[in-house]
Amino acid sequence: MGVVEKIKEIEEEMARTQKNKATEYHLGLLKAKLARYRQQLLEPPTKSGPAGTGFDVQKRLVMNCFNRFPICWKGESRKYHILHPTTLPQSTLLSKLTHTQSETAAYEFTTLTAIPGVIEYKGARIQLLDLPGIVEGASQGRGRGRQVVSTAKTADVILIMLDATKSDEQRKLLEYELDAVGIRLNKSKPDVVFKKKTTGGITFNATVKLTKTDEKTIRTILAGYKLHNCDVMIREDITTDEFIDVLIGNRKYIPCVYVYNKIDSISLEQVDKTARSSQSLVISCEMGLNLDYLVDRIWEELRMVKIYTKKRGAHPDLDDPVCLRKGSTIEIVCNSIHRSLAPNFRYALVWGRSSKFSPHAQKVSLAHVVQDEDVVSIFTK
């Protein structure tokens, strides 16, 4: 029996099992086996032979975003059927936002490879990739699914483009396929400390009351992964799935924005309801509605700050900002400009939101945390 058949068998058994307190332990074991088999499917043993083909996309810019678009689903005939009669215009969106030409047509899966583009946003550059659509079974390699999801794991933000005139089934299918390959959308990493050791058995501690799992289930999962000597510290009320994610260790927690297109084809009541749902945004590519707000939302989800530099006796350079993560310090600013600045650092002057004396400058050290649109002047020894 192959790995795919084993995964299918476990999924069918989980679907048959009623969820209650008595079956919680059994379901935990099944989830651990399922995660292990999926890991084997995504990372098969190395074999001799020609290398496979993938998407050659180099991350040259500060940040990147990815689109997830047309969806297929498996019908009763056990074949693949197109969920939508016409393609979602993800290539049109890429062309309008980045001025990059991507092939468009009135049928599904026009895009067969990664099409990169660059969004210019207030002096910053955002890399946007248009990737082929995901089909059901992409996590098992169907429809070049492994190449698509492997590229998705390197994203800073994922955009899932949906048809506002269709049901939410399209969204659930995409979430399932991405979750199956270890991409956790709009979730944070569980507050769990896990450390392997050579001897001493299993040390288990929990600072909160566990209502979604228990110590017995966790110890059994550890035994299933042949982990008999380790320290486990749980600091939040996690589920069994979240603990398995911690054990595997290669899960990606990526923010996601659900972009609903074709709002010009639905009622205002539906537009209002969709726009108010969590992490959702409504647009119309054909009419160009709300595209500016989409770019603003992408920048917000990236959680970046723009820092402007200033030479002594000169005006700040407002055309070429330094883009960094929120919470960055002056030391990170120095290393982003040149690695020789931090070792020879004397002090820095900061104008902007992070300055205590705004609008006047503040003299700061390397540990000072900068904020968006600060102006920094660095002085060396």
Side-chain angles (χ1 to χ4, degrees):
M1 183 182 295
V3 177
V4 176
E5 288 75 16
K6 291 180 181 179
I7 291 176
K8 183 179 178 181
E9 183 179 330
I10 294 177
E11 289 177 341
E12 291 176 351
E13 184 176 353
M14 291 176 64
R16 293 193 303 265
T17 306
Q18 294 183 354
K19 295 182 180 180
N20 52 52
K21 195 69 177 178
T23 61
E24 187 177 286
Y25 175 74
H26 177 63
L27 286 173
L29 296 181
L30 292 178
K31 289 177 180 178
K33 290 182 180 179
L34 182 62
R36 189 162 60 249
Y37 286 138
R38 283 177 174 171
Q39 186 69 16
Q40 293 177 10
L41 189 65
L42 293 175
E43 299 179 4
T46 304
K47 296 181 180 180
S48 59
T53 59
F55 298 136
D56 186 13
V57 180
Q58 185 172 0
K59 186 176 176 182
R60 294 179 179 272
L61 305 178
V62 177
M63 63 219 78
N64 55 24
C65 308
F66 292 84
N67 295 302
R68 297 291 169 269
F69 294 96
I71 314 164
C72 284
W73 64 298
K74 187 181 291 183
E76 295 299 328
S77 62
R78 314 305 294 172
K79 295 181 181 179
Y80 285 98
H81 300 276
I82 303 301
L83 186 62
H84 307 304
T86 57
T87 183
L88 284 168
Q90 73 276 8
S91 299
T92 304
L93 178 65
L94 181 74
S95 300
K96 288 191 174 183
L97 294 182
T98 67
H99 305 292
T100 299
Q101 295 301 320
S102 182
E103 183 180 357
T104 59
Y107 51 83
E108 294 281 5
F109 305 107
T110 309
T111 304
L112 301 178
T113 186
I115 307 297
V118 178
I119 301 175
E120 297 288 342
Y121 181 80
K122 298 180 180 179
R125 293 176 296 169
I126 305 173
Q127 187 181 52
L128 182 68
L129 294 183
D130 176 15
L131 294 184
I134 289 180
V135 301
E136 185 182 5
S139 57
Q140 301 175 8
R142 292 170 179 159
R144 300 192 73 186
R146 290 179 183 171
Q147 292 95 323
V148 173
V149 296
S150 297
T151 309
K153 286 187 175 183
T154 65
D156 297 300
V157 173
I158 290 178
L159 303 181
I160 294 183
M161 192 172 180
L162 305 169
D163 192 334
T165 63
K166 304 297 181 180
S167 67
D168 284 340
E169 186 67 22
Q170 52 183 334
R171 174 170 171 172
K172 294 178 181 178
L173 289 172
L174 280 172
E175 290 175 337
Y176 175 81
E177 293 298 334
L178 294 177
D179 187 80
V181 297
I183 297 178
R184 303 294 181 256
L185 301 177
N186 297 323
K187 294 182 180 179
S188 57
K189 189 175 181 180
D191 192 2
V192 177
V193 179
F194 172 75
K195 184 179 180 181
K196 295 181 182 179
K197 56 185 182 181
T198 55
T199 58
I202 298 175
T203 303
F204 179 86
N205 290 289
T207 60
V208 296
K209 183 179 179 181
L210 300 179
T211 62
K212 304 172 185 177
T213 186
D214 53 36
E215 182 178 350
K216 179 183 177 183
T217 303
I218 290 176
R219 288 182 177 272
T220 305
I221 292 173
L222 290 171
Y225 280 89
K226 298 181 180 180
L227 297 170
H228 306 291
N229 300 283
C230 59
D231 292 329
V232 178
M233 170 69 75
I234 300 177
R235 298 172 178 170
E236 66 173 296
D237 189 13
I238 62 171
T239 63
T240 303
D241 293 328
E242 290 174 334
F243 182 73
I244 295 173
D245 288 345
V246 174
L247 288 185
I248 296 177
N250 63 350
R251 300 315 194 203
K252 298 295 182 180
Y253 300 86
I254 305 175
C256 172
V257 179
Y258 300 93
V259 183
Y260 287 85
N261 186 46
K262 299 185 181 179
I263 59 171
D264 53 304
S265 301
I266 60 177
S267 64
L268 289 176
E269 290 78 7
Q270 289 178 293
V271 172
D272 182 69
K273 180 180 178 181
T274 303
R276 292 180 183 274
S277 58
S278 176
Q279 291 296 110
S280 298
L281 189 146
V282 294
I283 66 168
S284 173
C285 286
E286 183 177 352
M287 301 182 66
L289 299 176
N290 221 23
L291 298 184
D292 291 338
Y293 178 68
L294 172 60
V295 179
D296 292 337
R297 183 64 179 273
I298 291 174
W299 178 261
E300 179 183 343
E301 293 294 334
L302 287 170
R303 298 183 58 82
M304 305 291 292
V305 295
K306 299 186 296 294
I307 306 300
Y308 302 104
T309 57
K310 178 183 179 301
K311 295 182 180 179
R312 182 184 300 180
H315 292 289
D317 184 4
L318 303 180
D319 296 326
D320 189 17
V322 178
C323 297
L324 303 169
R325 295 287 184 185
K326 282 187 177 180
S328 297
T329 62
I330 292 293
E331 183 177 6
I332 298 177
V333 175
C334 293
N335 293 330
S336 300
I337 299 173
H338 198 277
R339 60 185 179 183
S340 65
L341 290 178
N344 299 315
F345 180 84
R346 287 177 57 198
Y347 66 90
L349 294 179
V350 176
W351 294 262
R353 298 177 183 177
S354 67
S355 173
K356 294 181 179 179
F357 316 115
S358 183
H360 302 291
Q362 178 186 356
K363 187 177 180 180
V364 298
S365 65
L366 286 173
H368 178 80
V369 178
V370 294
Q371 295 188 25
D372 190 31
E373 297 185 347
D374 276 356
V375 176
V376 176
S377 184
I378 300 171
F379 295 85
T380 57
K381 299 176 182 177

